[in-house]
Amino acid sequence: MTDTPAEVRDPFALTGLTYDDVLLLPGETDVIPSDADTATQFSKRVTLNSPVASAAMDTVTEAPWRSPWPVSGIGIIHRNLSIEEQAKQVDQVKRSESGMISDPVTISPDATIAELDDLCRHYRISGLPVVDEHGTLQGIITNRDIRFLPDEEYATTRVSAKMTLAPLITAREGVEREEVIRLFSKNRIEKLPLVDDDGRLTGLITIKDFDKADKYPQSTKDDEGRLRVGAAVGFFGDGWERAMSLVEAGADVLVVDTANGHTRGVLDMIAALKSELTAAHVDVIGGQAATRAGAQALVDAGADAIKVGVGPGSICTTRVVA
C-alpha cells in the first residue's frame, strides 16, 4: 500500500485518538500526588476544589442526583423545569450537606402531623425542630415520634401531641467539631439544635452532615459549609422571575445559558442581573461564546465568567439546531 502524500490528503479526513494514544509528557516536579492542589477559580467569587462542572442538561444535572454530585466541583441545575421545581432543587442541594444549617426548617407546635409530613417530604429530611412564634425552641419531632400513628390521624393530630419536649440536648453556635461528635455519641441523638442564651433556635447540626463530610472531604462549599450549586436561566419569557427565585433559593451561580451568547437579550440579562442589588452576592456566567468578540461582549456586560464553545457532543445537538 502506497502512502498518500500529506499535501494531497483529504483535509476533512477524521483522526481518531483514544487516551491510550496520547501521553501528557511529564516534567520535573517535587510535588507528591497527595500534596497536589487542583483548586480552580470558577468565577470571580467561586473557587472549586477540582475543575469539574456538570452541564445544565436535563439528562445530566438534577438535585436527586446528589449521590455522585460533583462535590469537589459544582453542578448546574438545568432550566427545563418549572420555576418552583428548579428553585426547590437548588434548595435541596444547599441543605444536603450543610455543616451547620443556619436557617433550619422549623414547625409550630400547633401544626398538624400532615403538615409535618409534607415539609419532611419536600426537604427530604426526617424531622424538624419545633419553635413558637418567637423562635424559641419548644422541642423536636422526628419520624420515630410518629412511627405508630395511623395515616388517617395525620390531619387531626397536632405536633405538640407527639413531639419530644424541651429541654433537649443543645449547643451554642461555634461549638467545636469534637464536642458535637461527643454529644451525638453520648446521647445517641441525630440532630443537635443550636440555641442562644434566650433559648431561641439559631441553627441545627445533623449526624448525616458529619457522615457526608467524612465521605466527601473535598466538597466545594460556601462560607456557611453548604455545597455550591449553580442554575441555568434564559433571557426571555420567565427568565427574570426564574433568576430571582433561584437567587432566593440560594444559588451561588446563575448561568445565562443560550446557544449564542453574543445576543442582545443575553447581554441585557447579564447587565440587569449585575445591577440587581438582591443578586449582588451571586456570580453570573454568560455563554455560549464562540468568538473573541462574543466573549468580549459578555465581559463588557459584566459577566463574572464566560462559558466557551457550542456543544458538539453526540447527545448535544445545540450546534446543529442553532
Side-chain angles (χ1 to χ4, degrees):
M1 178 177 179
T2 304
D3 289 339
T4 305
E7 63 271 15
V8 296
R9 287 177 185 166
D10 182 357
F12 297 104
L14 297 177
T15 299
L17 298 174
T18 72
Y19 288 109
D20 291 338
D21 299 319
V22 180
L23 171 66
L24 299 179
L25 295 177
E28 181 181 354
T29 179
D30 59 2
V31 177
I32 61 176
S34 60
D35 292 336
D37 183 0
T38 59
T40 303
Q41 198 68 32
F42 182 67
S43 57
K44 283 185 178 178
R45 282 170 290 195
V46 175
T47 300
L48 307 181
N49 287 333
S50 66
V52 178
S54 64
M57 297 173 65
D58 52 16
T59 53
V60 177
T61 311
E62 289 189 358
W65 186 64
R66 282 197 307 272
S67 177
W69 183 265
V71 289
S72 58
I74 193 169
I76 310 298
I77 304 292
H78 68 87
R79 61 186 175 97
N80 296 336
L81 296 162
S82 68
I83 294 174
E84 294 75 16
E85 179 61 25
Q86 191 182 19
K88 173 184 172 181
Q89 292 200 14
V90 167
D91 185 62
Q92 286 176 355
V93 175
K94 297 304 287 186
R95 292 179 183 275
S96 68
E97 186 178 351
S98 305
M100 185 202 79
I101 304 171
S102 59
D103 57 340
V105 180
T106 61
I107 196 164
S108 163
D110 297 326
T112 65
I113 299 301
E115 292 173 305
L116 169 74
D117 191 50
D118 288 342
L119 282 171
C120 289
R121 185 183 303 110
H122 176 85
Y123 290 106
R124 300 187 178 193
I125 51 181
S126 60
L128 296 174
V130 183
V131 300
D132 64 16
E133 64 273 18
H134 305 296
T136 303
L137 184 65
Q138 301 295 304
I140 194 166
I141 186 164
T142 70
N143 288 339
R144 289 186 294 182
D145 297 312
I146 61 173
R147 182 169 298 164
F148 301 107
L149 183 69
D151 291 351
E152 58 269 21
E153 296 182 19
Y154 275 28
T156 57
T157 305
R158 301 291 174 184
V159 167
S160 57
K162 293 295 181 179
M163 70 185 192
T164 301
L165 293 168
L168 304 171
I169 303 300
T170 62
R172 297 287 191 269
E173 278 194 41
V175 60
E176 294 293 332
R177 176 183 175 84
E178 291 74 16
E179 175 64 8
V180 173
I181 295 174
R182 188 189 71 80
L183 288 171
F184 279 141
S185 176
K186 178 182 177 181
N187 299 285
R188 297 185 178 182
I189 56 177
E190 296 182 352
K191 300 180 188 298
L192 180 66
L194 306 179
V195 296
D196 63 16
D197 292 337
D198 297 318
R200 286 189 293 265
L201 185 70
T202 60
L204 181 70
I205 298 175
T206 74
I207 191 66
K208 287 185 177 180
D209 292 328
F210 280 82
D211 291 341
K212 290 178 180 177
D214 289 338
K215 188 175 182 180
Y216 303 113
Q218 291 300 313
S219 298
T220 293
K221 298 179 182 179
D222 62 20
D223 293 338
E224 297 180 26
R226 304 173 301 176
L227 288 176
R228 291 285 195 185
V229 61
V233 299
F235 64 89
F236 57 87
D238 64 8
W240 183 260
E241 180 186 357
R242 182 179 295 273
M244 293 302 97
S245 294
L246 294 168
V247 169
E248 185 176 353
D252 299 288
V253 172
L254 293 179
V255 181
V256 186
D257 195 32
T258 62
N260 179 16
H262 200 178
T263 302
R264 176 48 53 192
V266 172
L267 303 178
D268 289 345
M269 182 66 161
I270 292 172
L273 287 171
K274 294 308 299 179
S275 63
E276 174 60 43
L277 293 179
T278 60
H281 60 290
V282 178
D283 278 359
V284 179
I285 296 178
Q288 319 281 13
T291 66
R292 185 199 182 285
Q296 186 63 57
L298 293 167
V299 170
D300 293 342
D304 297 300
I306 308 300
K307 191 176 180 186
V308 176
V310 183
S314 62
I315 64 169
C316 181
T317 59
T318 302
R319 183 178 293 183
V320 177
V321 173

